[in-house]
Amino acid sequence: MSMPFYVSPEQLMKDRADYARKGISRGRSVVVVEYDGGIVFVAENPSRALHKISEIYDRIAFAAVGKYNEFENLRVAGVRYADLRGYSYDRVDVTARALSNAYAQTLGTVFTTEPKPLEVEIVVAEVGVASENDQIYRLTYDGSVAEERGYVVMGGTVEQPHQVLSEGWRPGMSLAEALTLAVRALSVDAGGGQPRELSPDVLEVAVLDRKRPRRAFRRLAAPLLNRLLATDDPTKDVPPADDSRPGMHETLTGEEGGTTAGTEAGGGSGSEPGEGHEGLPEEEPH
Amino acid sequence: MSFDFQGRLPAAFMTAGSSSFTEFLGRYSPDLLPGRRQLPEGTVPATPHGTTIVALTFPGGVVMAGDRRATMGNYIANREIEKVFPADEYSCVGIAGSAGLAVEMVRLFQVELEHYEKIEGTLLSLDGKANRLSMMIRGNLGLAMQGLAVVPLFAGYDLDRGEGRIFSYDVTGGRYEEHGHHSVGSGSLFARGALKKLYRPTHDVQDAVRVAVEALYDAADDDSATGGPDVTRRIWPVVAAVTDEGYHRWEDERIGQVVEQVLADRQGDPGGALRRGLGAEGNRGDNAERRPKGTECTEGTEAQR
């Protein structure tokens, strides 16, 4: 007759936390930064189809690191939750706070009751009518929630990017400034070496733009992204109008007159880096 | 099942596979689906009914218009109801029939399309959208048999084909593509007659809007349930155009100008035939008079602009 092994709850939780942390730290980081006109999300992600940053609802977006299948599942659940709530009550009653609570409960329950915790870390952000109403919630694998101000880093390397952001971030930055800072934070080398060179085509960038009337979420692609990152370009914010090309308007490329017809789903695919410097820059607000 | 819960997200939220909001609702909270409700025994009391919707294509898009009246038996239940809605950026839906259910179905349809867009990251094809709507109407068949039928008219800009298209439905969810123009609701017979006479495949959006307003005027002229232009309150039909630039609802001010033009042209000529160059002979249906009339009509409408 064998005795079952006794494992103390402390040890059990610690093992699970270590397991989840290890899984998360394997991935690349994601940075979320507030700027004067909204919230910008930047991830190092060469894939154009498997997103780490997504729209949840009109003013709410989602960013995640960790195991793709697990956070994708959470994203879909979040969209269902938001759409159900908006359909049952009203669109304005869908809030990032309520969604974060639902996520936190889910992550927490999975962490304590299921054999394997979810190897994810997520950010749920909502853009408000003014920057003091912006909300950024960061949720970890064990279900803990933190409301963040200004900026968040999550994923593989956190400390060095966090340091870059804490030194460089200030309220009221323009999109171009916030984006440049975020990219600088992401390109820090974890080993303390030279900063890596991150070209725009390995970046997944999206914004929640406060000025857009209903759905505030837009992805940014070349050449607009190149213009925002270029130091010698006057572009400081996203254009108020969507791309004129017929089709889905989730992605802003800043191109004129539908020159990229047929790139409906991926948006901006096939754009060469550097082509953003052709033509005249648009007049931008600010 | 409740749509407001405490604790972790229920299993239905985490199930992978479906990108349809309606299917998700059917699994998680079927009582929220308009068609799934059980009606008690007995007859349904009078409820507001929406009346006439017209739609017609023009090169580069489609125009949809609806009058503003809802009736309940012989009463006017509402004189400024809106019955033409954007379904998503490239399509619109107009409703006739039981107004309460129809508006709910449109809301669900809007969420359905946006939900698909967010989950899949791409737009549904126009045929795909038309089929989703078909499925929703089919789900409402039980209520339709109790007298609560919903008969929408769906129209949109087909991004793949580069043209406007119109779909009509029956209560069993049957879906029929209409070419050129169509109309649904109690005044649709009269509107359809007007559309048939006034429709030109080559007219531009301005002319198409004018034809839609004329068709609604003719419907209101002969159908008591269709509301004509309300000049004293300045309530005009809802008119929307869908092109490759997306859904665009015409502002009241612009519609007001079109309506006033139609009313002015019909002074002393209620059928509008004289203005179109259809003289006394034309009204008798004289075939010999047909050909020159068509050309005069086009000139006439252009002169008005």
PDB file of all heavy atoms in Angstrom, chain A residues 193-204:
ATOM      1  N   GLY A 193      23.763  43.967 -24.359  1.00  0.00           N
ATOM      2  CA  GLY A 193      24.567  44.334 -25.527  1.00  0.00           C
ATOM      3  C   GLY A 193      23.986  45.518 -26.271  1.00  0.00           C
ATOM      4  O   GLY A 193      23.168  46.277 -25.731  1.00  0.00           O
ATOM      5  N   GLN A 194      24.404  45.662 -27.504  1.00  0.00           N
ATOM      6  CA  GLN A 194      23.901  46.739 -28.359  1.00  0.00           C
ATOM      7  C   GLN A 194      22.395  46.565 -28.581  1.00  0.00           C
ATOM      8  O   GLN A 194      21.924  45.437 -28.693  1.00  0.00           O
ATOM      9  CB  GLN A 194      24.610  46.673 -29.715  1.00  0.00           C
ATOM     10  CG  GLN A 194      25.989  47.311 -29.737  1.00  0.00           C
ATOM     11  CD  GLN A 194      25.902  48.823 -29.593  1.00  0.00           C
ATOM     12  OE1 GLN A 194      25.122  49.454 -30.291  1.00  0.00           O
ATOM     13  NE2 GLN A 194      26.686  49.391 -28.688  1.00  0.00           N
ATOM     14  N   PRO A 195      21.626  47.663 -28.653  1.00  0.00           N
ATOM     15  CA  PRO A 195      20.192  47.524 -28.969  1.00  0.00           C
ATOM     16  C   PRO A 195      20.009  46.872 -30.338  1.00  0.00           C
ATOM     17  O   PRO A 195      20.795  47.126 -31.250  1.00  0.00           O
ATOM     18  CB  PRO A 195      19.694  48.964 -28.990  1.00  0.00           C
ATOM     19  CG  PRO A 195      20.721  49.772 -28.306  1.00  0.00           C
ATOM     20  CD  PRO A 195      22.011  49.052 -28.436  1.00  0.00           C
ATOM     21  N   ARG A 196      19.008  46.024 -30.411  1.00  0.00           N
ATOM     22  CA  ARG A 196      18.731  45.370 -31.691  1.00  0.00           C
ATOM     23  C   ARG A 196      18.051  46.356 -32.636  1.00  0.00           C
ATOM     24  O   ARG A 196      17.399  47.295 -32.201  1.00  0.00           O
ATOM     25  CB  ARG A 196      17.832  44.156 -31.470  1.00  0.00           C
ATOM     26  CG  ARG A 196      18.478  43.100 -30.603  1.00  0.00           C
ATOM     27  CD  ARG A 196      17.535  41.982 -30.272  1.00  0.00           C
ATOM     28  NE  ARG A 196      16.339  42.462 -29.601  1.00  0.00           N
ATOM     29  CZ  ARG A 196      15.115  42.102 -29.945  1.00  0.00           C
ATOM     30  NH1 ARG A 196      14.918  41.279 -30.945  1.00  0.00           N
ATOM     31  NH2 ARG A 196      14.072  42.553 -29.289  1.00  0.00           N
ATOM     32  N   GLU A 197      18.187  46.095 -33.920  1.00  0.00           N
ATOM     33  CA  GLU A 197      17.535  46.952 -34.919  1.00  0.00           C
ATOM     34  C   GLU A 197      16.172  46.348 -35.233  1.00  0.00           C
ATOM     35  O   GLU A 197      16.094  45.221 -35.734  1.00  0.00           O
ATOM     36  CB  GLU A 197      18.417  47.002 -36.174  1.00  0.00           C
ATOM     37  CG  GLU A 197      17.992  48.028 -37.207  1.00  0.00           C
ATOM     38  CD  GLU A 197      18.241  49.464 -36.752  1.00  0.00           C
ATOM     39  OE1 GLU A 197      19.238  49.702 -36.037  1.00  0.00           O
ATOM     40  OE2 GLU A 197      17.428  50.320 -37.106  1.00  0.00           O
ATOM     41  N   LEU A 198      15.090  47.058 -34.901  1.00  0.00           N
ATOM     42  CA  LEU A 198      13.747  46.526 -35.187  1.00  0.00           C
ATOM     43  C   LEU A 198      13.168  47.299 -36.364  1.00  0.00           C
ATOM     44  O   LEU A 198      12.835  48.473 -36.240  1.00  0.00           O
ATOM     45  CB  LEU A 198      12.833  46.691 -33.973  1.00  0.00           C
ATOM     46  CG  LEU A 198      13.119  45.794 -32.775  1.00  0.00           C
ATOM     47  CD1 LEU A 198      12.132  46.100 -31.668  1.00  0.00           C
ATOM     48  CD2 LEU A 198      13.024  44.325 -33.155  1.00  0.00           C
ATOM     49  N   SER A 199      13.069  46.651 -37.508  1.00  0.00           N
ATOM     50  CA  SER A 199      12.506  47.345 -38.663  1.00  0.00           C
ATOM     51  C   SER A 199      10.980  47.275 -38.584  1.00  0.00           C
ATOM     52  O   SER A 199      10.425  46.367 -37.951  1.00  0.00           O
ATOM     53  CB  SER A 199      13.006  46.711 -39.954  1.00  0.00           C
ATOM     54  OG  SER A 199      12.406  45.455 -40.114  1.00  0.00           O
ATOM     55  N   PRO A 200      10.277  48.224 -39.208  1.00  0.00           N
ATOM     56  CA  PRO A 200       8.806  48.262 -39.087  1.00  0.00           C
ATOM     57  C   PRO A 200       8.116  46.969 -39.534  1.00  0.00           C
ATOM     58  O   PRO A 200       7.023  46.662 -39.056  1.00  0.00           O
ATOM     59  CB  PRO A 200       8.415  49.427 -39.981  1.00  0.00           C
ATOM     60  CG  PRO A 200       9.609  50.313 -40.005  1.00  0.00           C
ATOM     61  CD  PRO A 200      10.794  49.409 -39.906  1.00  0.00           C
ATOM     62  N   ASP A 201       8.739  46.197 -40.427  1.00  0.00           N
ATOM     63  CA  ASP A 201       8.008  45.005 -40.884  1.00  0.00           C
ATOM     64  C   ASP A 201       8.048  43.851 -39.890  1.00  0.00           C
ATOM     65  O   ASP A 201       7.397  42.829 -40.118  1.00  0.00           O
ATOM     66  CB  ASP A 201       8.455  44.566 -42.289  1.00  0.00           C
ATOM     67  CG  ASP A 201       9.953  44.481 -42.414  1.00  0.00           C
ATOM     68  OD1 ASP A 201      10.625  45.269 -41.750  1.00  0.00           O
ATOM     69  OD2 ASP A 201      10.438  43.625 -43.164  1.00  0.00           O
ATOM     70  N   VAL A 202       8.786  43.945 -38.785  1.00  0.00           N
ATOM     71  CA  VAL A 202       8.656  42.914 -37.746  1.00  0.00           C
ATOM     72  C   VAL A 202       7.825  43.434 -36.579  1.00  0.00           C
ATOM     73  O   VAL A 202       7.718  42.777 -35.552  1.00  0.00           O
ATOM     74  CB  VAL A 202      10.026  42.419 -37.231  1.00  0.00           C
ATOM     75  CG1 VAL A 202      10.805  41.768 -38.351  1.00  0.00           C
ATOM     76  CG2 VAL A 202      10.818  43.535 -36.574  1.00  0.00           C
ATOM     77  N   LEU A 203       7.248  44.629 -36.744  1.00  0.00           N
ATOM     78  CA  LEU A 203       6.460  45.196 -35.649  1.00  0.00           C
ATOM     79  C   LEU A 203       4.980  45.057 -35.940  1.00  0.00           C
ATOM     80  O   LEU A 203       4.534  45.271 -37.067  1.00  0.00           O
ATOM     81  CB  LEU A 203       6.797  46.681 -35.477  1.00  0.00           C
ATOM     82  CG  LEU A 203       8.188  47.023 -34.984  1.00  0.00           C
ATOM     83  CD1 LEU A 203       8.364  48.527 -34.960  1.00  0.00           C
ATOM     84  CD2 LEU A 203       8.427  46.443 -33.596  1.00  0.00           C
ATOM     85  N   GLU A 204       4.236  44.698 -34.911  1.00  0.00           N
ATOM     86  CA  GLU A 204       2.780  44.762 -35.000  1.00  0.00           C
ATOM     87  C   GLU A 204       2.378  45.973 -34.164  1.00  0.00           C
ATOM     88  O   GLU A 204       2.665  46.025 -32.968  1.00  0.00           O
ATOM     89  CB  GLU A 204       2.170  43.476 -34.443  1.00  0.00           C
ATOM     90  CG  GLU A 204       0.662  43.478 -34.529  1.00  0.00           C
ATOM     91  CD  GLU A 204       0.035  42.259 -33.882  1.00  0.00           C
ATOM     92  OE1 GLU A 204       0.763  41.335 -33.482  1.00  0.00           O
ATOM     93  OE2 GLU A 204      -1.197  42.244 -33.762  1.00  0.00           O
TER      94      GLU A 204
END
